[in-house]
Amino acid sequence: MFSGEAAVYDRFVGRYGPSLARAFIDAAGIAADTRVLDVGCGTGQLTRALAEKLGGANVSAVDTSEPFIEACRRRVPDADVRVARAEALPFEDDSFDAVLSQLVVNFIPDVPKGMAEMRRVTRGGGTVAGCVWDYKGEMTMLRTFWDAATALDPDGAAPVVEGRIMPYAQPEDLEKLWRETGFEDVSVVPLVAEASYEDFDDLWAPFPTGVGPAGRYAASLGTEAQTALHDEFLRRLGEPQGPFNLSARAWCAMGRVA
Ligand SMILES: C[S@@+](CC[C@H](N)C(=O)[O-])C[C@H]1O[C@@H](n2cnc3c(N)ncnc32)[C@H](O)[C@@H]1O
């Protein structure tokens, strides 16, 4: 569902990537001179922020999407960027001081295996951190989209609303996952990211292409229903005329390898 064009992803949630990455790196306490792996790197927003802080030679990144990996390599040419699954990381035990995973755990098919792999490749005392959108709360763009969709189409939209279908959308879900994986000193903190839009159509443009769960729903609608959704989404955002910003909260879970 995220395997489309990298440029479309970057106009969609990727627009929040740089500011989310900065907040995530700070929250995870990533210091200079550490070696870090980015799992589910996508088009490389977090990978680039890590390379700016640590130098590309200290950063590795994996994702299952070949187009995204190509975009990540273009963005961060000096990092070690590979096509690989979180559930089968191509690294030796204890290879990294920290493993970060931005907006990924809800999309990994075998989450316990992916988490166990992130733990395996992190040295003792190192950190594994992951963040997910606050789908039910303050991820303004996605929450407002789904509020508009369920108001217009309760039967069609309700079963696919991300706040309901994502297994890890609340701090307690993440805390449980991190504890069950065996991490110590587990904590969950909020992160706040921001994106700028030229106007509402700049925000809307990626949705009909089918990117992500929200785009897939928008693309499944006929022309009339899609126009109604566009108009209701616009109305619920306060009918911005011209440029505007939106903020988005994510939950960040962290734990230490014993
Ligand atoms: C919402 S995107 C997040 C991308 C990037 N981390 C960011 O912050 O923009 C989810 C990413 O997880 C990747 N993904 C899905 N399943 C995966 C798996 N099993 N192993 C590694 N990456 C996976 C997708 O290809 C996609 O790039």
Side-chain angles (χ1 to χ4, degrees), residues 1-3 9-10 13-17 20-21 38-47 62-66 68-69 75 84-89 100-110 114 131 133 135 212-213:
M1 107 184 19
F2 282 110
S3 61
Y9 178 81
D10 283 343
V13 287
R15 206 181 285 243
Y16 296 83
L20 182 61
D38 176 3
V39 173
C41 60
T43 61
Q45 306 277 12
L46 173 63
T47 321
V62 297
D63 199 285
T64 47
S65 160
E66 294 200 6
F68 283 6
I69 282 293
R75 190 163 260 158
R85 293 186 305 127
E87 300 94 321
L89 293 172
L100 302 191
S101 191
Q102 178 167 297
L103 309 175
V104 178
V105 292
N106 281 306
F107 300 98
I108 296 176
D110 185 344
C131 66
W133 289 129
Y135 293 101

Side-chain angles (χ1 to χ4, degrees), residues 48-120:
R48 176 163 65 186
L50 287 167
E52 283 168 0
K53 186 173 180 93
L54 307 173
N58 284 317
V59 178
S60 294
V62 297
D63 199 285
T64 47
S65 160
E66 294 200 6
F68 283 6
I69 282 293
E70 280 167 27
C72 184
R73 283 196 184 120
R74 281 195 297 276
R75 190 163 260 158
V76 201
D78 51 347
D80 165 29
V81 180
R82 309 187 198 181
V83 175
R85 293 186 305 127
E87 300 94 321
L89 293 172
F91 304 102
E92 301 288 319
D93 295 0
D94 306 331
S95 295
F96 299 96
D97 299 301
V99 174
L100 302 191
S101 191
Q102 178 167 297
L103 309 175
V104 178
V105 292
N106 281 306
F107 300 98
I108 296 176
D110 185 344
V111 176
K113 180 69 182 152
M115 293 298 296
E117 279 288 273
M118 292 189 223
R119 181 180 163 192
R120 178 184 67 75

